[in-house]
Every structure is written in C-alpha cells, then in structure tokens.
Amino acid sequence: MVNLLDLDLNGLQAFFASIGEKPFRATQVMKWIHQQGIVDFDAMTNLSKALRLRLKEVACITIPKVETMQTSQDGTRKWLLKLDNGNSIETVFIPEDDRGTLCISSQVGCALDCSFCATAQQGFNRNLTVAEIIGQLWLAEHTLRSEMEKDERVISNVVMMGMGEPLTNFNNVVQAMSLMMNDFCYGLSRRRVTLSTAGIVPALLRLKEQSPVSLAVSLHAANDSLRDQLVPINKKYPLNQLIAACREYVEDDNRRHITFEYVMLKDINDSPSHARDLIKLLKGISAKINLIPFNPFPQSHYQRSTPEAIERFRDILIKAGLVTITRKTRGDDIDAACGQLAGKVINRRQLNR
Ligand code: SAH
C-alpha cells in the first residue's frame, strides 16, 4: 500500500503512470487531499468509480493519529501525535493578529544534544517520513478550518522548528516543504516557509540548490568555545564554516533571507560583550536576529535572561544596524514554547547501550 501523503507531485504522477492513469490525476487527487482535506477515495467525485476502486486496493491516505490536543491561555495549540512503536511527536499552532504559524517536527527526538533544549533530552529514534511531516500541516489546517467554519486558509506560515534537526532528514523535509508551497496543496510562498537549523554546513549549501525556502540558523553564541558547549555540532562545523555557508546561502539571490536565532541564557551568553562579539561575527551579512528568551523545562539547569539584560543586548545590536526582534514567549503554560517540545521518544541510544 502506498500512502499518497508520502508523495510529492512527481511521485504522484509516477504513481498514476504505474497504474496506467494520466498524469493529471495527480493534481486532481492532490487538491482533494491537501486543499479539501478529503481522505476518502469515494468522496473524490471527479474520479471514475473504477479508479476509486483501484485506489482503494493499492493506496491509502494515512494521517498521524492525534493522542492529545491542548490549548494554551494565549490560544496556542499543541498536538501530540502518535506514531509507531510508542513514539510520538509534537506540532504547535501559534495564532497572531495578522497570521497563523505552524511549528512542525522533522524527527522523533533529536540527535544533536543542544544543552538548553528539551528535545535533546529525549534522545533520538528516527526521521519522520514525508507523510508524517506534511501530515502535521494537513491535520492542523483542516482541524482548524472545520472548527472555525472557514473555507479559506488558516495557516499562513510554517516553521520547521519543532522536534528534530530538519537538515539531517534532508530529502523528506525538502519534499514535504515542496508540498507546502505547491499551489495544488497549500500554496504558501517561499517567504512563509522557514527551515531552522543548528548548522549542518554541507546540507545547508545543498538546500540552496534544492529549495527556495527561508532559512533560520540557531546561533546562540558568537565564539566557538561557548557554542561548542551549547550547540555541540559546532565542534564539527565551527563558526567560520557556518558563517561562510550563510554568506553563500544569500549570495547572488536577494530573495533569500536568513534569520539568526539567539536563545537568551542568563549569565551565559547575554552580556554586552557577547552582543559586541555577535556584531563582529555578522559583519557584512544582511540578516535579522531573533532573540528567544530561554524557556525552562524539567531538569534544565539554565535560567532565562532578565528582561533588562535582553533589552540591553537588543539595543546594542540595533545601534549597530542589525534588525533585532525579541520573540514573544507563546504557549509556555502547555509546554509548547521554543525548546519545550518533547513528545515521547523511544531512545535508540539507550536501547543500544
Ligand atoms: N534543530 C533545529 C530546529 C529546532 S528550532 C534548530 O536547532 O534550529 C527550535 C529553536 O528553539 C531553535 O532556535 C532552538 O535553538 C531554540 N530553543 C531550543 N531550546 C530552547 C529553549 N529551552 N528556550 C528557548 N529556545 C530554545
């Protein structure tokens, strides 16, 4: 059985060719699934009865199952989605006045081990499939639409900022993002789909070749010794390599944008001299900076910087001409804020021990 949610446009066209159908069936079925939220072949009324029967024999449309859904006081929603073998992942919807952002997971757990992130503590199990990645958008979009009794789009932006490191699940993430931007599916513009990475340098350069999405880079420190502690992948791809790759990412293409994310950890990376190091590091790159107040989780040994320290840090960056925004903390009462997503991960590393 092929899960049609696993296929992008090329994949669907190849699938229909393999059962002796014309390529236009691919766009017809895509629209039913992604635009209309229909997963029952019998409801796809522009397909012949014979084709619907055939599809039921060889294909399925399987969406991740909802284990729980929670709503925060500020309207943020979190879904816990049940996968195979006891694993589950989290997806978060953040409503704002002028947009609705969905934060999507790319892996069950994460292998990068960043010291300030709850997902890291869960360990790593596996990459998500295309169906599991795009299924998060399908589920959130169509659930919210039917609740709000709306026909038009509710989710206007997607950020690959949930559990996992998207660039270590490269092919599936790139395919799923192509569905997000496809006009027969969700039709999001390239500016409204953002991939966030801790800095897997070779994959970042490959992303430029294969996808037009916006990029966010989790920087968090402007010198290698501190970044080695916070984001251990820095030992493999240190700052000079990462920043060179970022320059290359935006080079010769003024439609590409980078945002640098910087988690504000009290007395760790939040002093004025850290801000000045950051200015030096980013000299000559046109980029935005997003300061993220640290969100605590059980067993985290860091504290959030004080509002004064964050403001002081931001002002130094702004004075140097860097566009800097402090991210508003959303959904922390239901553990849905940045760095708090944990799901349930059957940790392979422990299994192997
Ligand atoms: N692995 C990717 C995708 C995760 S994005 C990446 O690292 O970019 C999640 C964002 O939240 C990242 O910028 C991450 O560094 C940040 N983050 C992680 N833990 C956090 C915490 N406890 N408080 C605030 N932000 C955190």
Side-chain angles (χ1 to χ4, degrees), residues 116-117 161-162 164-165 196-198 218 220 261 263 292 294-295 338-339:
F116 52 88
C117 180
M161 295 188 185
E165 168 49 52
S196 180
T197 179
S218 294
H220 311 317
E261 296 162 282
V263 62
I292 316 175
F294 171 68
N295 295 305
C338 304

Side-chain angles (χ1 to χ4, degrees), residues 119-143:
T119 304
Q121 304 218 331
Q122 304 280 305
F124 175 74
N125 188 278
R126 65 171 175 85
N127 283 333
L128 295 183
T129 62
V130 175
E132 289 163 339
I133 299 169
I134 200 68
Q136 296 172 62
L137 179 54
W138 186 97
L139 191 92
E141 175 68 35
H142 294 293
T143 304

Side-chain angles (χ1 to χ4, degrees), residues 106 110 112 114 116-118 160-166 196-199 216-220 231 261-265 292-297 327 337-340:
S106 58
C110 189
L112 295 193
C114 299
F116 52 88
C117 180
M160 299 300 303
M161 295 188 185
M163 296 165 67
E165 168 49 52
S196 180
T197 179
V217 173
S218 294
L219 200 57
H220 311 317
V231 186
E261 296 162 282
Y262 195 100
V263 62
M264 297 299 292
L265 303 166
I292 316 175
F294 171 68
N295 295 305
F297 53 89
R327 188 177 292 172
C338 304
Q340 292 185 320

